[in-house]
Amino acid sequence: MIQLFFMNIFVAKLNYNSTEDQVRDLFEGFGEVSSVKIIFDKFENRSKGYGFVEMPNDDEANEAISNLNDSEFDGRTIVVKEAQPREERGGYNNRRNNYRDRY
């Protein structure tokens, strides 16, 4: 059976010089990694210090989260947790829609 869902893991407080390959290597210590994406500032063309890792096996992903959260990586103490879907977060669009609904 083909696995269609991956656990999406949020990784924050990354060193601005950390690469996707380094993050992949870190997480592969716990299992298969489907993808790694470090988010870049499009104006400054540098890392924003956070990114996302997708792992197809929930047990391996949970083990990675448990072991890597608040651990030292590339000179920084990183935050690792399951990513929340975009619609569950507040943000600019949510604030704009709330403003529009009120007036």
Side-chain angles (χ1 to χ4, degrees), residues 9 20 24-25 28-29 33 35 38 47 49-50 59 63 75-77 79 84 86-87 91-97:
I9 302 168
E20 290 178 355
R24 177 180 296 276
D25 289 344
E28 282 180 340
V33 173
S35 69
I38 293 178
S47 167
Y50 69 93
D59 291 335
E63 185 178 351
R76 305 277 308 262
T77 301
V79 172
Q84 298 298 311
R86 290 187 73 103
E87 59 271 8
Y92 174 75
N93 286 331
N94 192 26
R95 287 190 302 267
R96 188 175 71 183
N97 289 337

Side-chain angles (χ1 to χ4, degrees), residues 24-38:
R24 177 180 296 276
D25 289 344
L26 178 67
F27 278 81
E28 282 180 340
F30 298 93
E32 182 183 350
V33 173
S34 300
S35 69
V36 175
K37 178 69 176 165
I38 293 178

Side-chain angles (χ1 to χ4, degrees), residues 42-77:
K42 64 183 175 183
F43 299 110
E44 295 184 23
N45 197 32
R46 73 170 190 138
S47 167
K48 288 188 170 190
Y50 69 93
F52 298 91
V53 175
E54 287 186 330
M55 297 181 75
N57 182 298
D58 284 354
D59 291 335
E60 294 172 352
N62 284 319
E63 185 178 351
I65 290 169
S66 176
N67 284 282
L68 295 175
N69 187 43
D70 290 327
S71 68
E72 191 275 331
F73 173 67
D74 204 8
R76 305 277 308 262
T77 301

